[in-house]
Amino acid sequence: MTETDLMHAVMLAVTEAGNQIFRTNVGKVRTPDGRYFDTGLPKGHSDLYGFRPDGQIFYIETKLHPRKPTKEQRQFILAMIGKGAAAGVAYTVEEALKIVKWEPEFKEIMIGAMRYAK
């Protein structure tokens, strides 16, 4: 499985659970004519974001083991949590669904993981 495969599986599961979800692309892309196009998203923005039916926004950074989120990704996730969003890193579809559900004990686990990851 590739990280893209995981993203697609997460998107399908999150949608089937009744939520809206979107994939983002961060950074610059070179166009066929040689120009660069910047997506405009900040460095560290999560791969996926969306909304639950109750309006709660969530951000999901997908990773395959043993890859870890970058410093910018961790900072983005913590900033979004600080603004009231559900946000975190998912290595599996099940973890992504936990981010969307955002129960208090999982929130604390994710905050600790983002603060102390290296």
Side-chain angles (χ1 to χ4, degrees):
M1 174 180 275
T2 67
E3 212 162 273
T4 300
D5 293 335
L6 176 59
M7 269 191 262
H8 290 156
V10 166
M11 291 181 75
L12 181 61
V14 169
T15 299
E16 287 177 347
N19 307 285
Q20 288 280 341
I21 190 165
F22 308 95
R23 181 177 175 185
T24 65
N25 289 305
V26 177
K28 294 182 181 182
V29 177
R30 190 173 183 163
T31 62
D33 64 1
R35 294 179 297 127
Y36 284 93
F37 170 76
D38 187 336
T39 64
L41 294 171
K43 196 170 185 181
H45 193 286
S46 295
D47 297 319
L48 305 170
Y49 77 98
F51 301 89
R52 295 189 324 211
D54 65 2
Q56 172 70 51
I57 191 169
F58 56 84
Y59 293 88
I60 302 169
E61 180 63 38
T62 55
K63 294 285 182 197
L64 292 179
H65 281 294
R67 294 192 63 215
K68 295 182 180 182
T70 65
K71 178 181 177 184
E72 292 86 359
Q73 290 166 335
R74 291 191 315 270
Q75 289 172 335
F76 179 83
I77 289 167
L78 287 171
M80 294 305 98
I81 292 170
K83 298 289 184 186
V89 177
Y91 291 91
T92 65
V93 171
E94 293 75 22
E95 287 177 336
L97 291 170
K98 286 182 180 182
I99 292 168
V100 173
K101 197 169 183 185
W102 206 236
E103 292 179 343
E105 61 275 1
F106 186 75
K107 175 182 177 180
E108 292 307 313
I109 291 168
M110 193 56 62
I111 289 170
M114 293 301 100
R115 284 191 178 143
Y116 304 109
K118 296 207 178 189

